[in-house]
CSV table of all heavy atoms in Angstrom, one decimal:
chain,number,residue,atom,x,y,z
O,220,MET,N,84.8,85.8,109.7
O,220,MET,CA,86.0,86.1,110.3
O,220,MET,C,86.2,87.5,110.6
O,220,MET,O,85.7,88.4,110.0
O,220,MET,CB,87.2,85.5,109.5
O,220,MET,CG,87.5,86.4,108.2
O,220,MET,SD,88.8,85.7,107.2
O,220,MET,CE,90.2,86.0,108.2
O,221,GLU,N,87.0,87.8,111.7
O,221,GLU,CA,87.3,89.1,112.1
O,221,GLU,C,88.4,89.7,111.2
O,221,GLU,O,89.5,88.9,111.1
O,221,GLU,CB,87.7,89.2,113.5
O,221,GLU,CG,87.8,90.6,114.1
O,221,GLU,CD,88.0,90.6,115.6
O,221,GLU,OE1,88.0,89.6,116.2
O,221,GLU,OE2,88.1,91.8,116.2
O,222,LEU,N,88.3,90.8,110.7
O,222,LEU,CA,89.3,91.4,109.8
O,222,LEU,C,90.0,92.5,110.5
O,222,LEU,O,89.4,93.2,111.3
O,222,LEU,CB,88.6,92.0,108.5
O,222,LEU,CG,88.0,91.0,107.6
O,222,LEU,CD1,87.2,91.7,106.4
O,222,LEU,CD2,88.9,89.9,107.1
O,223,GLU,N,91.3,92.7,110.2
O,223,GLU,CA,92.0,93.8,110.6
O,223,GLU,C,91.5,95.1,109.9
O,223,GLU,O,90.9,95.0,108.8
O,223,GLU,CB,93.5,93.7,110.3
O,223,GLU,CG,94.2,92.5,111.0
O,223,GLU,CD,94.3,92.7,112.5
O,223,GLU,OE1,94.2,93.9,112.9
O,223,GLU,OE2,94.3,91.7,113.2
O,224,GLU,N,91.7,96.2,110.5
O,224,GLU,CA,91.1,97.5,109.9
O,224,GLU,C,91.4,97.7,108.4
O,224,GLU,O,90.7,98.2,107.7
O,224,GLU,CB,91.5,98.7,110.8
O,224,GLU,CG,90.8,99.9,110.4
O,224,GLU,CD,91.1,101.1,111.4
O,224,GLU,OE1,91.7,100.8,112.5
O,224,GLU,OE2,90.8,102.3,111.0
O,225,GLU,N,92.7,97.3,108.1
O,225,GLU,CA,93.1,97.6,106.7
O,225,GLU,C,92.8,96.5,105.8
O,225,GLU,O,93.1,96.6,104.5
O,225,GLU,CB,94.7,97.9,106.7
O,225,GLU,CG,95.5,96.8,107.1
O,225,GLU,CD,95.7,96.5,108.6
O,225,GLU,OE1,95.0,97.2,109.4
O,225,GLU,OE2,96.5,95.7,109.0
O,226,ASP,N,92.3,95.4,106.2
O,226,ASP,CA,92.0,94.3,105.4
O,226,ASP,C,90.6,94.2,104.8
O,226,ASP,O,89.7,94.7,105.3
O,226,ASP,CB,92.2,92.9,106.2
O,226,ASP,CG,93.6,92.7,106.4
O,226,ASP,OD1,94.6,93.2,105.7
O,226,ASP,OD2,93.9,91.9,107.4
O,227,ASP,N,90.5,93.6,103.6
O,227,ASP,CA,89.2,93.3,102.9
O,227,ASP,C,89.3,91.9,102.3
O,227,ASP,O,90.4,91.3,102.1
O,227,ASP,CB,89.0,94.3,101.8
O,227,ASP,CG,88.8,95.8,102.2
O,227,ASP,OD1,87.8,96.0,103.0
O,227,ASP,OD2,89.6,96.6,101.8
O,228,PHE,N,88.1,91.4,102.0
O,228,PHE,CA,88.0,90.1,101.3
O,228,PHE,C,88.4,90.4,99.8
O,228,PHE,O,87.7,91.3,99.2
O,228,PHE,CB,86.7,89.6,101.4
O,228,PHE,CG,86.2,89.1,102.8
O,228,PHE,CD1,85.2,89.8,103.4
O,228,PHE,CD2,86.8,88.1,103.4
O,228,PHE,CE1,84.8,89.4,104.7
O,228,PHE,CE2,86.5,87.7,104.7
O,228,PHE,CZ,85.4,88.4,105.3
O,229,GLN,N,89.4,89.8,99.3
O,229,GLN,CA,89.9,90.1,98.0
O,229,GLN,C,90.2,88.7,97.2
O,229,GLN,O,90.9,87.9,97.8
O,229,GLN,CB,91.2,90.9,98.0
O,229,GLN,CG,91.1,92.2,98.7
O,229,GLN,CD,92.4,92.9,98.8
O,229,GLN,OE1,93.2,92.9,97.9
O,229,GLN,NE2,92.7,93.6,99.9
O,230,ALA,N,89.7,88.6,96.1
O,230,ALA,CA,89.9,87.3,95.3
O,230,ALA,C,89.9,87.6,93.8
O,230,ALA,O,89.3,88.5,93.3
O,230,ALA,CB,88.8,86.3,95.7
O,231,TRP,N,90.5,86.6,93.1
O,231,TRP,CA,90.7,86.7,91.6
O,231,TRP,C,90.8,85.3,91.1
O,231,TRP,O,91.1,84.3,91.8
O,231,TRP,CB,91.8,87.6,91.3
O,231,TRP,CG,93.1,87.2,91.8
O,231,TRP,CD1,94.1,86.4,91.2
O,231,TRP,CD2,93.7,87.6,93.1
O,231,TRP,NE1,95.2,86.3,92.1
O,231,TRP,CE2,94.9,87.0,93.3
O,231,TRP,CE3,93.2,88.4,94.2
O,231,TRP,CZ2,95.7,87.2,94.4
O,231,TRP,CZ3,93.9,88.6,95.3
O,231,TRP,CH2,95.2,88.0,95.3
O,232,CYS,N,90.6,85.2,89.8
O,232,CYS,CA,90.5,83.9,89.1
O,232,CYS,C,91.9,83.4,88.7
O,232,CYS,O,92.9,84.1,88.8
O,232,CYS,CB,89.6,84.0,87.9
O,232,CYS,SG,90.3,85.0,86.6
O,233,ASP,N,92.0,82.2,88.1
O,233,ASP,CA,93.3,81.6,87.6
O,233,ASP,C,94.0,82.5,86.5
O,233,ASP,O,95.2,82.8,86.5
O,233,ASP,CB,93.0,80.2,87.0
O,233,ASP,CG,92.7,79.2,88.1
O,233,ASP,OD1,93.0,79.5,89.3
O,233,ASP,OD2,92.2,78.2,87.7
O,234,GLU,N,93.1,83.0,85.6
O,234,GLU,CA,93.7,83.8,84.5
O,234,GLU,C,94.2,85.1,85.1
O,234,GLU,O,95.3,85.6,84.6
O,234,GLU,CB,92.6,84.2,83.4
O,234,GLU,CG,92.2,82.9,82.6
O,234,GLU,CD,93.4,82.3,82.0
O,234,GLU,OE1,94.2,83.1,81.3
O,234,GLU,OE2,93.5,81.1,82.0
O,235,CYS,N,93.6,85.7,86.0
O,235,CYS,CA,94.1,86.9,86.7
O,235,CYS,C,95.4,86.7,87.4
O,235,CYS,O,96.3,87.5,87.5
O,235,CYS,CB,93.0,87.5,87.6
O,235,CYS,SG,91.7,88.5,86.8
Side-chain angles (χ1 to χ4, degrees):
M220 70 183 291
E221 187 170 3
L222 297 174
E223 298 295 332
E224 187 173 347
E225 66 278 6
D226 287 337
D227 292 302
F228 296 113
Q229 303 174 38
W231 53 95
C232 69
D233 287 343
E234 291 303 312
C235 284

